[in-house]
């Protein structure tokens, strides 16, 4: 039997991928510098708490050396993009191997560029999970489910959050049913209950979106507690979306039958950018040993309020906030570019 540990469980290291090309690096030297600096800043912040390894495309070795701190390890392998949460493996523990020091397993989902959109390439990224697992010395659990790490979230106690518009997306799993997906999550993650969100944030359904990643909406800092993104301005389309999601979660119980204690994480004040309504949220943070690397958005009042909520939700951990607007302009947040490797049991 496998168990998917909570993100708060002890970690061996944090993994990232270094930006390679395309829309992530942008069209100008200034755009490329902004992206590389952002990814490097997240890696450096995490490295203050635990070991960090960054996967680097062969074409970017010299550039990555200039941006990454000397104490950050690198692994060279071809990349299409740099969203490690989605292309990396999801690590689980094999309970039958606990105590042996070799309990860790790496679930390798099928990755097809978030549903095979015309603009994406994923031939290299689809192989990254196996490379990372091999580098970590972790046996692979192969899955035929098209899935991404940002599309699932667990509480370490058998509860898994998923979204109807992701796992049941015709571009990902055209023949899937909830029952089939749940059976695969039980096999790979040890899921005892899947909670199916009806949808994600508005911006996530635009051309370059993922169509409903849960890590932009909600996270479970401890069993029975849910941190929920909340848009408080009626002028933003997510005002209605986040209220609907709160109503939804109020009617749910987790794998152990608990109703959720819902803690709202209010959005910052900015409503839009040049592309339309933004999806700025504080849910998209990453937990590390002794810390939380959180998003900030140049809104001091909202940023400080969110940092305080996160500090309360993760007692004993130091919250480090980084301006994540360059990440969100490229389609994601801090959680999206990182993937934690749990410690062996």
């Amino acid at each position: 039997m496998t168990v998917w540990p909570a993100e708060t469980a002890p970690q061996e290291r944090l993994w990232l991928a270094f930006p390679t090309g395309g829309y992530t690096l942008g069209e100008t030297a200034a755009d490329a510098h902004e992206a590389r600096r952002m990814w490097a800043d997240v890696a450096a912040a995490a490295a203050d708490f635990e070991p960090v390894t960054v996967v680097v495309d062969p074409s970017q070795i010299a550039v990555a050396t200039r941006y990454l701190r000397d104490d950050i390890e690198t692994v060279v392998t071809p990349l299409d993009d740099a969203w490690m949460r989605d292309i990396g493996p999801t690590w689980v523990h094999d309970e039958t191997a606990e105590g042996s020091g070799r309990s860790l397993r790496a679930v390798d989902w099928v990755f097809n560029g978030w549903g095979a959109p015309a603009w994406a390439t994923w031939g290299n990224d689809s192989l990254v999970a196996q490379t990372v697992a091999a580098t970590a010395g972790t046996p692979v659990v192969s899955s035929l489910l098209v899935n991404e790490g940002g599309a699932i979230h667990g509480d370490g106690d058998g509860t898994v959050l998923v979204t109807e518009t992701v796992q049941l997306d015709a571009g990902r799993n055209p023949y899937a049913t909830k029952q089939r997906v749940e059976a695969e999550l039980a096999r790979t993650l040890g899921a005892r209950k899947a909670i199916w969100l009806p949808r994600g944030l508005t911006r996530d359904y635009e051309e370059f979106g993922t169509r409903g990643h849960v890590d932009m909406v909600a996270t479970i800092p401890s069993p029975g507690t849910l941190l929920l993104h909340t848009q408080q301005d009626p002028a933003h389309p997510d005002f209605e979306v986040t209220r609907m999601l709160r109503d939804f979660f109020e009617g749910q119980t987790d794998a152990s039958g608990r109703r959720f204690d819902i803690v709202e994480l209010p959005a910052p004040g900015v409503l839009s950018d040049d592309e339309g309504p933004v999806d700025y949220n504080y849910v998209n943070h990453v937990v590390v040993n002794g810390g939380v690397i959180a998003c900030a958005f140049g809104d001091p009042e909202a940023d400080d309020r969110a940092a305080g909520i996160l500090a309360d939700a993760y007692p004993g951990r130091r919250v480090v906030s980084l301006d994540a607007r360059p990440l969100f302009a490229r389609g994601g947040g801090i959680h999206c570019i990182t993937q934690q490797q749990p410690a062996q049991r």
Side-chain angles (χ1 to χ4, degrees), residues 83-341:
W83 304 95
M84 182 55 78
R85 179 67 50 175
D86 295 341
I87 64 178
T90 301
W91 274 282
V92 298
H93 286 292
D94 180 352
E95 287 196 325
T96 63
E98 286 186 13
S100 69
R102 301 293 298 167
S103 68
L104 212 58
R105 304 288 183 265
V107 180
D108 178 19
W109 313 107
V110 176
F111 179 74
N112 72 348
W114 307 279
W119 54 266
T121 58
W122 58 86
N124 294 322
D125 284 352
S126 67
L127 303 176
V128 167
Q130 294 187 34
T131 298
V132 169
T135 303
T138 309
V140 170
V141 176
S142 296
S143 175
L144 294 179
L145 183 70
V146 179
N147 194 30
E148 303 97 36
I152 51 175
H153 181 70
D155 66 352
D157 191 36
T159 308
V160 177
L161 307 181
V162 289
T163 312
E164 293 181 7
T165 55
V166 177
Q167 284 80 14
L168 302 182
D169 174 23
R172 290 175 168 98
N173 300 296
Y175 304 109
T177 64
K178 287 185 178 181
Q179 292 74 21
R180 288 177 176 176
V181 172
E182 289 173 7
E184 183 64 354
L185 296 176
R187 182 185 75 87
T188 54
L189 303 180
R192 297 189 292 125
K193 181 173 183 178
I195 297 177
W196 288 88
L197 281 68
R199 60 160 297 154
L201 301 182
T202 300
R203 183 132 175 182
D204 215 4
Y205 294 89
E206 295 180 357
E207 182 180 4
F208 299 109
T210 67
R211 295 187 292 289
H213 268 195
V214 69
D215 69 353
M216 303 290 271
V217 175
T219 190
I220 304 174
S222 58
T225 299
L226 184 91
L227 292 175
L228 181 65
H229 171 60
T230 304
Q231 175 54 248
Q232 298 180 310
D233 195 319
H236 195 293
D238 285 335
F239 177 80
E240 295 296 339
V241 172
T242 58
R243 272 148 186 76
M244 178 270 290
L245 288 170
R246 180 176 180 115
D247 289 343
F248 168 79
F249 277 114
E250 286 178 343
Q252 300 298 313
T253 57
D254 65 14
S256 295
R258 291 172 290 235
R259 290 197 175 275
F260 288 106
D261 176 15
I262 300 174
V263 178
E264 294 187 350
L265 268 173
V270 176
L271 299 182
S272 62
D273 61 11
D274 293 341
E275 303 299 324
V278 296
D279 52 0
Y280 292 171
N281 70 85
Y282 299 102
V283 167
N284 200 274
H285 54 269
V286 67
V287 180
V288 290
N289 293 333
V292 178
I293 314 302
C295 298
F297 300 99
D299 182 337
E301 182 178 353
D303 293 345
D304 289 346
R305 177 179 59 203
I309 294 171
L310 292 174
D312 290 341
Y314 299 101
R317 297 179 194 263
R318 178 163 59 93
V319 177
V320 177
S321 297
L322 302 177
D323 188 339
R325 286 175 290 183
L327 276 175
F328 278 76
R330 291 163 171 81
I334 290 174
H335 191 261
C336 302
I337 68 169
T338 57
Q339 178 64 273
Q340 73 279 353
Q341 177 186 339

